[in-house]
Coordinates of all heavy atoms in Angstrom, one line a residue:
M1 N 84.7 83.8 131.9 CA 84.1 84.1 130.6 C 84.4 85.5 130.1 O 84.8 85.7 129.0 CB 82.6 83.9 130.7 CG 81.9 83.8 129.3 SD 82.6 82.5 128.2 CE 81.9 83.0 126.6
R2 N 84.3 86.4 131.0 CA 84.6 87.8 130.7 C 86.1 88.0 130.3 O 86.4 88.7 129.4 CB 84.2 88.7 131.8 CG 83.4 89.8 131.3 CD 83.0 90.7 132.5 NE 82.6 92.0 131.9 CZ 82.3 93.1 132.7 NH1 82.4 92.9 134.0 NH2 81.9 94.2 132.2
Q3 N 86.9 87.3 131.0 CA 88.3 87.4 130.8 C 88.7 86.9 129.4 O 89.5 87.4 128.7 CB 89.1 86.5 131.8 CG 89.4 87.3 133.1 CD 90.3 86.6 134.0 OE1 90.4 85.3 133.9 NE2 91.1 87.3 134.8
L4 N 88.0 85.8 129.0 CA 88.2 85.3 127.6 C 87.9 86.3 126.6 O 88.7 86.5 125.6 CB 87.4 84.0 127.5 CG 87.7 83.2 126.2 CD1 89.0 82.5 126.4 CD2 86.6 82.2 125.9
L5 N 86.8 87.0 126.8 CA 86.4 88.0 125.8 C 87.4 89.1 125.7 O 87.8 89.6 124.7 CB 85.0 88.6 126.2 CG 83.8 87.7 125.8 CD1 82.5 88.4 126.4 CD2 83.7 87.7 124.3
L6 N 87.9 89.5 126.9 CA 88.9 90.5 127.0 C 90.2 90.1 126.2 O 90.8 90.8 125.5 CB 89.2 90.8 128.5 CG 90.0 92.1 128.6 CD1 89.1 93.3 128.5 CD2 90.7 92.1 130.0
L7 N 90.5 88.8 126.4 CA 91.7 88.3 125.8 C 91.6 88.4 124.2 O 92.5 88.7 123.5 CB 91.9 86.8 126.2 CG 93.3 86.5 126.7 CD1 93.2 85.7 128.0 CD2 94.1 85.8 125.7
I8 N 90.4 88.0 123.8 CA 90.1 88.0 122.3 C 90.2 89.4 121.8 O 90.8 89.7 120.8 CB 88.7 87.4 122.0 CG1 88.8 85.9 122.3 CG2 88.4 87.7 120.6 CD1 87.4 85.3 122.3
F9 N 89.7 90.3 122.6 CA 89.7 91.7 122.2 C 91.1 92.2 122.1 O 91.5 92.9 121.2 CB 88.9 92.6 123.2 CG 89.0 94.0 122.9 CD1 88.3 94.6 121.9 CD2 89.8 94.8 123.8 CE1 88.4 96.0 121.6 CE2 89.9 96.2 123.5 CZ 89.2 96.8 122.5
V10 N 91.9 91.9 123.1 CA 93.3 92.3 123.2 C 94.1 91.8 122.0 O 94.9 92.4 121.3 CB 94.0 91.9 124.5 CG1 95.5 92.0 124.4 CG2 93.5 92.7 125.6
F11 N 93.7 90.5 121.6 CA 94.4 89.9 120.5 C 94.1 90.6 119.2 O 95.1 90.9 118.4 CB 93.9 88.4 120.4 CG 94.4 87.7 119.2 CD1 95.7 87.3 119.1 CD2 93.5 87.5 118.1 CE1 96.1 86.7 117.9 CE2 93.9 86.8 117.0 CZ 95.3 86.4 116.9
F12 N 92.9 91.0 119.0 CA 92.5 91.7 117.8 C 93.1 93.1 117.8 O 93.6 93.6 116.7 CB 91.0 91.8 117.6 CG 90.4 90.6 117.0 CD1 89.7 89.7 117.7 CD2 90.7 90.3 115.6 CE1 89.2 88.5 117.1 CE2 90.1 89.2 115.0 CZ 89.4 88.3 115.8
A13 N 93.1 93.7 118.9 CA 93.7 95.1 119.0 C 95.2 95.1 118.7 O 95.7 95.9 117.9 CB 93.4 95.6 120.4
S14 N 95.9 94.1 119.2 CA 97.3 94.0 119.0 C 97.6 93.7 117.5 O 98.5 94.3 116.9 CB 98.0 92.9 119.8 OG 97.5 91.7 119.5
Q15 N 96.8 92.9 116.9 CA 96.9 92.6 115.5 C 96.7 93.9 114.6 O 97.5 94.2 113.7 CB 95.9 91.6 115.0 CG 96.6 90.3 114.6 CD 95.6 89.4 113.9 OE1 94.4 89.6 113.8 NE2 96.1 88.2 113.5
W16 N 95.7 94.6 115.0 CA 95.4 95.9 114.3 C 96.6 96.8 114.4 O 97.0 97.5 113.4 CB 94.1 96.5 114.8 CG 93.8 97.8 114.3 CD1 93.3 98.1 113.1 CD2 94.0 99.1 114.9 NE1 93.1 99.4 112.9 CE2 93.6 100.0 114.0 CE3 94.5 99.4 116.2 CZ2 93.6 101.4 114.3 CZ3 94.6 100.8 116.5 CH2 94.1 101.7 115.6
L17 N 97.1 96.9 115.6 CA 98.2 97.8 115.9 C 99.4 97.4 115.1 O 100.1 98.2 114.5 CB 98.5 97.8 117.4 CG 99.2 99.1 117.9 CD1 98.2 100.2 118.0 CD2 99.8 98.8 119.3
F18 N 99.7 96.1 115.1 CA 100.8 95.6 114.4 C 100.8 95.9 112.9 O 101.7 96.3 112.3 CB 100.9 94.1 114.6 CG 102.1 93.4 113.9 CD1 103.3 93.6 114.5 CD2 101.9 92.6 112.8 CE1 104.4 93.0 113.9 CE2 103.0 92.0 112.2 CZ 104.3 92.2 112.8
R19 N 99.6 95.7 112.3 CA 99.4 96.0 110.9 C 99.6 97.5 110.6 O 100.2 97.9 109.6 CB 97.9 95.6 110.5 CG 97.9 94.9 109.2 CD 96.5 94.6 108.8 NE 96.0 93.4 109.5 CZ 94.8 92.9 109.5 NH1 93.9 93.6 108.9 NH2 94.4 91.8 110.1
K20 N 99.1 98.3 111.5 CA 99.3 99.8 111.3 C 100.7 100.2 111.4 O 101.2 101.0 110.6 CB 98.5 100.5 112.5 CG 98.0 101.9 112.0 CD 97.2 102.5 113.1 CE 96.9 103.9 112.7 NZ 96.2 104.6 113.9
L21 N 101.5 99.6 112.3 CA 102.9 99.9 112.4 C 103.6 99.4 111.2 O 104.5 100.1 110.7 CB 103.5 99.1 113.7 CG 103.4 99.9 115.0 CD1 103.8 99.0 116.1 CD2 104.3 101.1 115.0
R22 N 103.3 98.3 110.7 CA 103.9 97.7 109.5 C 103.7 98.7 108.3 O 104.6 98.9 107.6 CB 103.3 96.4 109.2 CG 104.4 95.3 109.3 CD 103.7 94.0 109.1 NE 104.5 93.2 108.1 CZ 104.0 92.1 107.6 NH1 102.8 91.6 107.9 NH2 104.7 91.4 106.7
R23 N 102.5 99.1 108.2 CA 102.2 100.0 107.1 C 103.0 101.3 107.2 O 103.5 101.8 106.2 CB 100.7 100.3 107.1 CG 100.2 100.7 105.7 CD 98.7 101.0 105.7 NE 97.9 99.7 105.9 CZ 96.6 99.7 106.0 NH1 95.9 100.8 106.1 NH2 96.0 98.6 106.1
A24 N 103.1 101.8 108.4 CA 103.8 103.1 108.6 C 105.3 102.9 108.3 O 105.9 103.7 107.7 CB 103.7 103.5 110.0
N25 N 105.8 101.7 108.6 CA 107.2 101.4 108.3 C 107.4 101.4 106.8 O 108.4 101.9 106.3 CB 107.5 100.0 108.9 CG 108.2 100.1 110.3 OD1 108.5 101.2 110.7 ND2 108.3 99.0 111.0
A26 N 106.6 100.7 106.1 CA 106.7 100.6 104.7 C 106.7 102.0 104.0 O 107.4 102.3 103.1 CB 105.6 99.7 104.1
R27 N 105.8 102.8 104.5 CA 105.6 104.1 104.0 C 106.9 104.9 104.2 O 107.4 105.6 103.3 CB 104.4 104.8 104.6 CG 103.9 106.0 103.7 CD 102.7 106.6 104.3 NE 101.5 105.7 104.3 CZ 100.3 106.0 104.9 NH1 100.2 107.1 105.6 NH2 99.3 105.1 104.8
S28 N 107.5 104.9 105.4 CA 108.7 105.6 105.7 C 109.8 105.1 104.9 O 110.7 105.9 104.4 CB 109.0 105.6 107.2 OG 109.4 104.2 107.5
Q29 N 109.9 103.8 104.7 CA 110.9 103.2 103.8 C 110.9 103.7 102.4 O 111.9 104.1 101.8 CB 110.8 101.7 103.8 CG 111.7 101.0 104.9 CD 111.7 99.5 104.8 OE1 111.1 99.0 103.8 NE2 112.2 98.9 105.7
A30 N 109.7 103.8 101.9 CA 109.5 104.3 100.5 C 109.9 105.7 100.4 O 110.5 106.1 99.4 CB 108.0 104.1 100.1
A31 N 109.6 106.5 101.4 CA 109.9 107.9 101.4 C 111.4 108.1 101.4 O 112.0 108.9 100.7 CB 109.3 108.6 102.6
S32 N 112.1 107.3 102.3 CA 113.6 107.4 102.3 C 114.2 107.0 101.0 O 115.2 107.6 100.6 CB 114.1 106.6 103.5 OG 113.9 105.2 103.2
Q33 N 113.6 106.0 100.4 CA 114.2 105.6 99.1 C 114.0 106.7 98.1 O 114.9 106.9 97.2 CB 113.4 104.3 98.6 CG 114.1 103.0 99.1 CD 113.4 101.8 98.7 OE1 112.4 101.9 97.9 NE2 113.8 100.6 99.2
G34 N 112.9 107.4 98.1 CA 112.7 108.4 97.1 C 113.6 109.6 97.3 O 114.1 110.1 96.3
T35 N 114.0 109.9 98.5 CA 114.9 111.0 98.8 C 116.3 110.6 98.4 O 117.1 111.4 98.1 CB 114.8 111.5 100.2 OG1 114.8 110.3 101.1 CG2 113.5 112.3 100.5
R36 N 116.6 109.3 98.6 CA 117.9 108.8 98.4 C 118.3 108.8 96.9 O 119.4 109.0 96.5 CB 118.1 107.4 98.9 CG 119.5 107.1 99.3 CD 119.7 105.6 99.6 NE 118.9 105.2 100.7 CZ 118.5 103.9 100.9 NH1 118.8 103.0 100.0 NH2 117.8 103.5 101.9
G37 N 117.3 108.6 96.0 CA 117.6 108.5 94.6 C 117.8 109.8 93.9 O 117.1 110.1 93.0
G38 N 118.9 110.5 94.2 CA 119.3 111.6 93.4 C 118.4 112.8 93.6 O 117.2 112.8 93.3
T39 N 119.0 113.9 94.1 CA 118.2 115.1 94.5 C 117.8 115.8 93.2 O 116.8 116.4 93.1 CB 118.9 116.0 95.4 OG1 120.3 116.0 95.0 CG2 118.8 115.5 96.9
G40 N 118.7 115.9 92.2 CA 118.5 116.6 91.0 C 117.3 116.1 90.2 O 116.4 116.9 89.8
S41 N 117.2 114.8 90.1 CA 116.1 114.3 89.3 C 114.7 114.5 90.0 O 113.7 114.8 89.3 CB 116.3 112.8 89.0 OG 116.3 112.1 90.2
T42 N 114.7 114.3 91.3 CA 113.4 114.5 92.0 C 113.0 115.9 91.9 O 111.8 116.2 91.8 CB 113.6 114.0 93.5 OG1 114.8 114.5 94.0 CG2 113.5 112.5 93.6
R43 N 113.9 116.8 92.0 CA 113.6 118.2 92.0 C 113.0 118.6 90.6 O 112.0 119.3 90.5 CB 114.9 119.1 92.2 CG 114.6 120.4 92.9 CD 115.8 121.2 93.1 NE 116.4 120.9 94.4 CZ 117.6 121.4 94.8 NH1 118.3 122.2 94.0 NH2 118.1 121.1 96.0
A44 N 113.6 118.1 89.5 CA 113.1 118.3 88.2 C 111.7 117.8 88.0 O 110.8 118.4 87.5 CB 114.0 117.8 87.2
R45 N 111.5 116.5 88.6 CA 110.2 115.9 88.4 C 109.1 116.6 89.2 O 108.0 116.8 88.7 CB 110.3 114.4 88.9 CG 109.2 113.6 88.4 CD 109.2 112.2 89.0 NE 110.4 111.4 88.5 CZ 110.8 110.3 89.1 NH1 110.1 109.7 90.1 NH2 111.8 109.6 88.6
S46 N 109.4 117.1 90.4 CA 108.4 117.8 91.2 C 108.0 119.1 90.5 O 106.9 119.5 90.6 CB 108.9 118.0 92.6 OG 110.0 118.9 92.6
G47 N 109.0 119.7 89.8 CA 108.7 121.0 89.2 C 107.8 120.8 88.0 O 107.0 121.6 87.7
N48 N 107.9 119.6 87.3 CA 107.1 119.4 86.2 C 105.6 119.0 86.6 O 104.7 119.6 86.0 CB 107.6 118.2 85.4 CG 108.7 118.7 84.4 OD1 108.7 119.8 84.0 ND2 109.6 117.8 84.0
G49 N 105.5 118.0 87.5 CA 104.1 117.5 87.7 C 103.7 117.9 89.1 O 103.1 117.1 89.8
A50 N 103.9 119.1 89.6 CA 103.5 119.5 90.9 C 102.0 119.8 91.0 O 101.4 119.6 92.0 CB 104.2 120.7 91.4
S51 N 101.4 120.2 89.8 CA 100.0 120.6 89.8 C 99.0 119.3 89.9 O 98.0 119.4 90.6 CB 99.7 121.3 88.6 OG 100.0 120.6 87.4
G52 N 99.5 118.2 89.3 CA 98.6 117.0 89.2 C 98.6 116.3 90.5 O 99.4 116.6 91.4
A53 N 97.8 115.2 90.5 CA 97.8 114.3 91.7 C 99.1 113.5 91.7 O 99.7 113.3 90.7 CB 96.6 113.4 91.6
P54 N 99.4 113.0 92.9 CA 100.6 112.2 93.0 C 100.5 110.9 92.1 O 99.5 110.2 92.2 CB 100.7 111.8 94.5 CG 99.4 112.1 95.0 CD 98.8 113.2 94.2
Q55 N 101.5 110.7 91.3 CA 101.5 109.6 90.3 C 101.6 108.2 91.0 O 102.5 108.0 91.8 CB 102.6 109.7 89.3 CG 102.2 110.6 88.2 CD 102.6 110.0 86.8 OE1 103.5 109.2 86.7 NE2 101.8 110.2 85.8
L56 N 100.6 107.4 90.7 CA 100.7 106.0 91.3 C 101.8 105.2 90.6 O 102.1 105.4 89.4 CB 99.4 105.3 91.0 CG 98.2 105.8 91.8 CD1 96.9 105.3 91.3 CD2 98.3 105.4 93.3
P57 N 102.5 104.4 91.3 CA 103.5 103.6 90.7 C 103.0 102.6 89.7 O 103.7 102.3 88.7 CB 104.1 102.8 91.9 CG 103.1 102.8 92.9 CD 102.3 104.1 92.7
D58 N 101.7 102.2 89.8 CA 101.2 101.2 88.9 C 99.7 101.6 88.6 O 98.8 101.0 89.2 CB 101.2 99.8 89.5 CG 101.3 98.8 88.4 OD1 101.4 99.2 87.2 OD2 101.3 97.6 88.7
P59 N 99.5 102.6 87.7 CA 98.1 103.0 87.5 C 97.2 101.9 86.8 O 97.7 101.1 86.1 CB 98.3 104.2 86.5 CG 99.6 104.0 85.9 CD 100.4 103.3 86.9
L60 N 95.9 102.0 87.1 CA 95.0 101.0 86.5 C 94.7 101.4 85.1 O 94.5 102.6 84.8 CB 93.7 101.0 87.3 CG 93.9 100.4 88.7 CD1 92.6 100.4 89.5 CD2 94.4 98.9 88.6
V61 N 94.7 100.4 84.2 CA 94.4 100.6 82.8 C 93.2 99.8 82.4 O 93.0 98.6 82.9 CB 95.6 100.3 81.9 CG1 95.3 100.5 80.5 CG2 96.8 101.1 82.3
R62 N 92.3 100.3 81.6 CA 91.1 99.6 81.2 C 91.4 98.7 80.0 O 92.0 99.1 79.0 CB 90.0 100.6 80.8 CG 88.6 100.1 80.8 CD 87.6 101.2 80.7 NE 86.3 100.7 80.4 CZ 85.8 100.5 79.2 NH1 86.6 100.8 78.1 NH2 84.6 100.1 79.0
C63 N 90.9 97.5 80.1 CA 91.0 96.5 79.1 C 90.1 96.9 77.9 O 88.9 97.2 78.1 CB 90.7 95.1 79.6 SG 90.6 93.8 78.3
A64 N 90.6 96.9 76.7 CA 89.8 97.3 75.5 C 88.7 96.2 75.2 O 87.8 96.6 74.5 CB 90.7 97.5 74.3
E65 N 88.9 95.0 75.7 CA 87.9 94.0 75.3 C 86.8 93.9 76.4 O 85.6 93.9 76.1 CB 88.7 92.7 75.2 CG 87.8 91.5 74.9 CD 87.1 91.6 73.6 OE1 87.6 92.2 72.7 OE2 86.0 90.9 73.4
C66 N 87.2 93.7 77.6 CA 86.2 93.4 78.6 C 85.9 94.6 79.6 O 85.0 94.7 80.3 CB 86.6 92.2 79.5 SG 88.0 92.4 80.4
G67 N 86.8 95.6 79.5 CA 86.6 96.8 80.3 C 87.1 96.7 81.8 O 86.8 97.6 82.6
V68 N 87.8 95.6 82.1 CA 88.2 95.4 83.5 C 89.5 96.3 83.7 O 90.3 96.4 82.8 CB 88.5 93.9 83.7 CG1 89.5 93.7 84.9 CG2 87.2 93.2 83.9
H69 N 89.6 96.9 84.8 CA 90.8 97.7 85.2 C 91.9 96.8 85.7 O 91.6 96.1 86.7 CB 90.4 98.8 86.1 CG 89.6 99.9 85.5 ND1 88.2 99.8 85.3 CD2 90.0 101.1 85.0 CE1 87.8 100.9 84.7 NE2 88.8 101.7 84.5
T70 N 93.0 96.9 85.1 CA 94.1 96.1 85.5 C 95.4 96.9 85.7 O 95.5 97.9 85.0 CB 94.4 95.1 84.3 OG1 93.2 94.6 83.8 CG2 95.3 93.9 84.8
P71 N 96.2 96.6 86.7 CA 97.5 97.3 86.8 C 98.3 97.3 85.5 O 98.3 96.3 84.8 CB 98.2 96.5 87.9 CG 97.1 95.8 88.7 CD 96.0 95.6 87.7
R72 N 98.8 98.5 85.3 CA 99.5 98.7 84.0 C 100.6 97.7 83.7 O 100.8 97.3 82.5 CB 100.1 100.1 84.0 CG 100.3 100.7 82.6 CD 100.7 102.1 82.7 NE 101.2 102.6 81.5 CZ 101.6 103.9 81.3 NH1 101.6 104.7 82.4 NH2 102.0 104.3 80.2
S73 N 101.3 97.3 84.7 CA 102.4 96.4 84.5 C 101.9 95.0 84.0 O 102.7 94.2 83.5 CB 103.2 96.2 85.8 OG 102.4 95.8 86.8
E74 N 100.6 94.7 84.3 CA 100.1 93.4 84.0 C 99.3 93.4 82.7 O 98.8 92.4 82.2 CB 99.1 92.9 85.1 CG 99.9 92.6 86.4 CD 99.0 92.3 87.5 OE1 97.9 91.7 87.3 OE2 99.3 92.6 88.7
T75 N 99.2 94.6 82.0 CA 98.4 94.6 80.8 C 99.3 94.3 79.6 O 100.5 94.4 79.6 CB 97.9 96.0 80.6 OG1 98.9 97.0 80.6 CG2 96.8 96.3 81.6
L76 N 98.6 93.9 78.5 CA 99.3 93.6 77.2 C 98.9 94.7 76.3 O 97.8 95.1 76.2 CB 98.8 92.3 76.7 CG 99.5 91.0 77.3 CD1 98.7 89.8 76.9 CD2 100.9 90.9 76.9
V77 N 99.9 95.2 75.5 CA 99.6 96.3 74.5 C 99.7 95.6 73.2 O 100.7 95.1 72.7 CB 100.7 97.4 74.6 CG1 100.3 98.5 73.6 CG2 100.7 98.0 76.0
V78 N 98.5 95.6 72.5 CA 98.5 95.1 71.1 C 97.8 96.1 70.2 O 96.7 96.5 70.5 CB 97.7 93.7 71.1 CG1 97.6 93.2 69.7 CG2 98.3 92.7 72.0
A79 N 98.5 96.5 69.2 CA 98.0 97.5 68.2 C 97.6 98.8 68.9 O 96.5 99.4 68.7 CB 96.8 96.9 67.4
G80 N 98.4 99.2 69.9 CA 98.1 100.5 70.6 C 97.0 100.4 71.6 O 96.6 101.4 72.2
Q81 N 96.4 99.2 71.9 CA 95.3 99.1 72.9 C 95.8 98.1 74.0 O 96.5 97.2 73.7 CB 94.1 98.6 72.2 CG 93.5 99.7 71.3 CD 92.1 99.3 70.9 OE1 91.9 98.3 70.1 NE2 91.1 100.1 71.3
R82 N 95.2 98.3 75.1 CA 95.7 97.5 76.3 C 94.6 96.5 76.6 O 93.4 96.7 76.5 CB 95.9 98.5 77.5 CG 97.1 99.3 77.3 CD 97.4 100.2 78.5 NE 98.5 101.1 78.3 CZ 99.8 100.7 78.4 NH1 100.1 99.5 78.8 NH2 100.7 101.6 78.2
F83 N 95.1 95.3 77.0 CA 94.3 94.2 77.4 C 94.7 93.6 78.7 O 95.9 93.6 79.0 CB 94.3 93.2 76.2 CG 93.9 93.7 74.9 CD1 94.8 94.2 74.0 CD2 92.5 93.8 74.6 CE1 94.4 94.7 72.8 CE2 92.1 94.3 73.3 CZ 93.1 94.7 72.5
C84 N 93.7 93.0 79.4 CA 94.1 92.4 80.7 C 94.8 91.1 80.5 O 95.5 90.6 81.4 CB 92.8 92.2 81.5 SG 91.6 91.0 80.8
C85 N 94.6 90.4 79.3 CA 95.2 89.1 79.1 C 95.4 88.9 77.6 O 94.7 89.5 76.8 CB 94.5 88.0 79.8 SG 92.8 87.9 79.2
S86 N 96.2 87.9 77.2 CA 96.5 87.7 75.8 C 95.2 87.1 75.1 O 95.0 87.4 73.9 CB 97.6 86.7 75.7 OG 97.3 85.5 76.3
D87 N 94.4 86.4 75.9 CA 93.2 85.9 75.3 C 92.3 87.0 74.8 O 91.7 86.9 73.7 CB 92.4 85.1 76.4 CG 91.2 84.3 75.9 OD1 91.4 83.8 74.8 OD2 90.2 84.3 76.5
H88 N 92.1 88.1 75.6 CA 91.3 89.2 75.2 C 91.9 90.0 74.0 O 91.2 90.5 73.1 CB 91.1 90.1 76.4 CG 90.0 89.6 77.3 ND1 89.7 90.2 78.5 CD2 89.3 88.4 77.2 CE1 88.8 89.5 79.1 NE2 88.6 88.4 78.4
A89 N 93.3 90.0 74.0 CA 93.9 90.7 72.9 C 93.6 89.9 71.6 O 93.3 90.5 70.5 CB 95.4 90.7 73.1
H90 N 93.7 88.6 71.6 CA 93.4 87.8 70.4 C 92.0 87.9 70.0 O 91.7 88.1 68.8 CB 93.7 86.3 70.7 CG 95.2 86.0 70.8 ND1 96.1 86.4 69.8 CD2 96.0 85.4 71.7 CE1 97.3 86.0 70.1 NE2 97.3 85.4 71.3
R91 N 91.1 88.0 71.0 CA 89.6 88.1 70.7 C 89.3 89.4 70.0 O 88.6 89.5 69.1 CB 88.8 87.9 72.0 CG 87.5 87.3 71.7 CD 86.6 87.4 72.9 NE 87.1 86.5 74.0 CZ 86.5 86.5 75.2 NH1 85.5 87.3 75.5 NH2 86.9 85.7 76.2
H92 N 90.0 90.4 70.5 CA 89.8 91.8 70.0 C 90.3 91.9 68.6 O 89.7 92.5 67.7 CB 90.4 92.8 70.9 CG 90.0 94.2 70.6 ND1 88.8 94.7 71.1 CD2 90.6 95.2 69.9 CE1 88.7 96.0 70.7 NE2 89.7 96.3 70.0
A93 N 91.5 91.2 68.3 CA 92.1 91.3 67.0 C 91.3 90.5 66.0 O 91.2 90.8 64.8 CB 93.5 90.7 67.1
A94 N 90.6 89.4 66.5 CA 89.9 88.5 65.6 C 88.6 89.2 65.1 O 88.1 88.9 64.0 CB 89.5 87.2 66.3
R95 N 88.1 90.1 65.9 CA 86.9 90.9 65.6 C 87.2 91.8 64.4 O 88.2 92.5 64.5 CB 86.4 91.6 66.8 CG 84.9 92.0 66.7 CD 84.5 92.8 67.9 NE 84.3 91.9 69.0 CZ 84.1 92.4 70.3 NH1 84.1 93.7 70.5 NH2 83.9 91.6 71.3
P96 N 86.4 91.9 63.4 CA 86.6 92.8 62.2 C 86.8 94.3 62.6 O 87.7 94.9 62.3 CB 85.4 92.6 61.3 CG 84.4 91.9 62.1 CD 85.1 91.1 63.2
T97 N 85.8 94.8 63.4 CA 85.9 96.2 63.8 C 85.2 96.3 65.2 O 84.3 95.5 65.5 CB 85.1 97.2 62.8 OG1 85.4 96.7 61.5 CG2 85.7 98.6 63.0
G98 N 85.6 97.3 66.0 CA 85.0 97.4 67.3 C 83.7 98.1 67.3 O 83.2 98.5 68.3
R99 N 83.1 98.3 66.1 CA 81.8 99.1 66.1 C 80.7 98.4 66.7 O 79.8 99.0 67.3 CB 81.5 99.3 64.6 CG 82.1 100.6 64.1 CD 81.7 101.0 62.7 NE 82.5 102.0 62.2 CZ 82.3 102.5 60.9 NH1 81.3 102.0 60.2 NH2 83.0 103.5 60.5
D100 N 80.6 97.0 66.6 CA 79.5 96.3 67.1 C 79.6 96.0 68.6 O 78.8 95.3 69.2 CB 79.3 95.0 66.3 CG 80.5 94.1 66.4 OD1 81.6 94.7 66.5 OD2 80.3 92.9 66.3
A101 N 80.7 96.5 69.2 CA 80.9 96.3 70.6 C 79.8 96.9 71.5 O 79.5 96.4 72.5 CB 82.3 96.9 71.0
R102 N 79.2 97.9 71.0 CA 78.1 98.5 71.8 C 76.8 97.8 71.5 O 76.0 97.6 72.3 CB 77.9 100.0 71.4 CG 79.0 100.8 72.1 CD 78.7 102.3 71.8 NE 79.9 103.1 72.2 CZ 80.0 104.4 72.0 NH1 79.0 105.1 71.4 NH2 81.1 105.0 72.4
Ligands
ZN201 ZN1 89.9 91.8 79.3

């Protein structure tokens, strides 16, 4: 019975280790890709935005209708405002003014 528990523990531990290794691999791959893509452009970019936080590849944007945060690539831009889906964009457009939203 004790051996079985140990086996289960080892199984979970190996899974955790595997996941950690995979994450480290992905991170190192991304880093190598970044250095590979032209030294001049990266140098210029780091000079511009060195003071701010590291830019996320896909920042979260707030939906103007429901307020849900959605990855920027998945949002819809209608009349200068971002929405999580086309349904909310239509609903927002159908409303006369956003004043009664509060
Ligand atoms: Zn929405």
Side-chain angles (χ1 to χ4, degrees):
M1 191 59 193
R2 227 178 161 189
Q3 274 191 335
L4 191 73
L5 279 175
L6 194 76
L7 233 137
I8 290 168
F9 174 75
V10 166
F11 173 73
F12 275 110
S14 63
Q15 244 192 358
W16 173 78
L17 205 75
F18 183 70
R19 221 179 281 169
K20 208 176 174 186
L21 271 171
R22 244 175 128 190
R23 203 177 288 175
N25 264 351
R27 202 176 289 173
S28 68
Q29 263 185 10
S32 67
Q33 271 179 5
T35 47
R36 206 190 297 157
T39 41
S41 62
T42 44
R43 211 178 269 176
R45 199 184 291 171
S46 65
N48 274 336
S51 55
Q55 273 229 329
L56 290 166
D58 208 3
L60 292 176
V61 179
R62 197 167 168 271
C63 171
E65 176 66 25
C66 66
V68 160
H69 286 80
T70 320
R72 201 171 169 182
S73 59
E74 291 173 31
T75 54
L76 281 166
V77 183
V78 179
Q81 289 191 296
R82 291 183 183 276
F83 302 94
C84 64
C85 56
S86 59
D87 188 42
H88 283 178
H90 286 306
R91 212 190 289 175
H92 194 81
R95 201 183 282 170
T97 323
R99 273 187 189 179
D100 59 330
R102 279 184 194 178

